[in-house]
Amino acid sequence: RRYDRFRERITYPIKNIKGEVIGFGGRIITKGEPKYLNSPETELFNKSKELYGLFEAAKSIREQNQVIVVEGYMDVIALHQHGITNAVATMGTSVTEEHIKQLFRMCDNICYSFDGDNAGKKAAWRALERSVGLVTDIKAVNFLFLPEEHDPDSFVRQFGTDAFKLRIANSSIGLVNFLLNQLVSEVQINTDEGKARL
């Protein structure tokens, strides 16, 4: 029995780095789960190897020597509409080593900007775990945490391009600081046992 896989969804073409359409993604219009739905994986379309918007962002990523990695299609589209054209998104999966290696071939700086909620923080931690072995004295990773009620889409629409760029420049934290801050928050740092655990 046939049915419309992307019913009640806004559907976006997903392109590979050559600009060829290899799949589709749909974002639900009404309430419901999942929020995003992609084409089934095939030999052509593998979510762990592809990034949404990479074809459109590639030139800007190389020119700026930086890429901003966000969580959703709408984040990428909103940032590009506001002139931040070096943004890409994962597609319903965590950032993979393959993604990171691909981005580091194009630039030296990756800035992860996930949602400010708990899910966004968990996604950032997974990105840290995958990035830590690939960072060098040349290749750097930063994390931008927006206020809890915002994602990149809503933030740039409310506060504008300059405010988002200022956040990246002044409020993003490096991988080592993020790692240490996270670990310190999990121990009683004012005790000897906590220090030993850390």
Side-chain angles (χ1 to χ4, degrees):
R1 182 167 164 255
R2 295 185 182 183
Y3 68 95
D4 179 4
R5 179 181 181 86
F6 295 111
R7 63 195 178 281
E8 298 183 4
R9 293 173 183 273
I10 301 172
T11 308
Y12 306 87
I14 297 167
K15 298 177 184 177
N16 64 14
I17 191 64
K18 297 176 186 173
E20 301 163 331
V21 175
I22 56 172
F24 294 91
R27 188 193 190 283
I28 198 151
I29 297 169
T30 56
K31 298 281 184 192
E33 292 293 331
K35 188 174 177 183
Y36 289 98
L37 183 67
N38 296 311
S39 293
E41 294 214 347
T42 65
E43 287 185 25
L44 282 178
F45 176 54
N46 183 332
K47 287 186 288 190
S48 64
K49 293 181 180 175
E50 304 295 338
L51 289 157
Y52 181 76
L54 187 59
F55 171 71
E56 291 80 4
K59 184 172 182 279
S60 183
I61 291 168
R62 289 187 178 100
E63 286 173 354
Q64 297 184 49
N65 197 28
Q66 183 188 52
V67 61
I68 302 163
V69 180
V70 296
E71 285 186 278
Y73 312 131
M74 293 305 296
D75 294 322
V76 171
I77 291 166
L79 290 174
H80 279 250
Q81 284 176 335
H82 285 78
I84 301 167
T85 54
N86 59 332
V88 299
T90 55
M91 288 182 278
T93 62
S94 301
V95 176
T96 65
E97 283 194 19
E98 187 71 31
H99 290 146
I100 298 162
K101 287 175 183 175
Q102 184 177 29
L103 293 173
F104 272 153
R105 284 194 290 271
M106 300 172 79
C107 68
D108 294 332
N109 301 286
I110 297 174
C111 180
Y112 297 111
S113 178
F114 297 141
D115 298 357
D117 58 13
N118 283 333
K121 287 171 185 165
K122 286 179 183 174
W125 183 256
R126 287 193 296 271
L128 179 145
E129 290 177 323
R130 304 235 163 80
S131 303
V132 74
L134 301 171
V135 170
T136 66
D137 54 347
I138 300 168
K139 305 293 184 182
V141 165
N142 289 293
F143 296 83
L144 175 64
F145 294 101
L146 297 173
E148 195 167 327
E149 66 276 13
H150 282 291
D151 56 22
D153 175 11
S154 66
F155 186 91
V156 77
R157 287 181 195 282
Q158 183 170 342
F159 300 108
T161 304
D162 291 341
F164 190 83
K165 287 181 175 177
L166 270 174
R167 282 264 175 172
I168 289 178
N170 300 329
S171 301
S172 60
I173 61 171
L175 183 142
V176 172
N177 281 340
F178 176 41
L179 174 66
L180 291 176
N181 289 346
Q182 188 67 29
L183 295 178
V184 166
S185 72
E186 294 172 8
V187 299
Q188 296 287 331
I189 196 62
N190 55 348
T191 67
D192 291 340
E193 291 81 4
K195 290 174 186 168
R197 184 158 178 254
L198 177 62

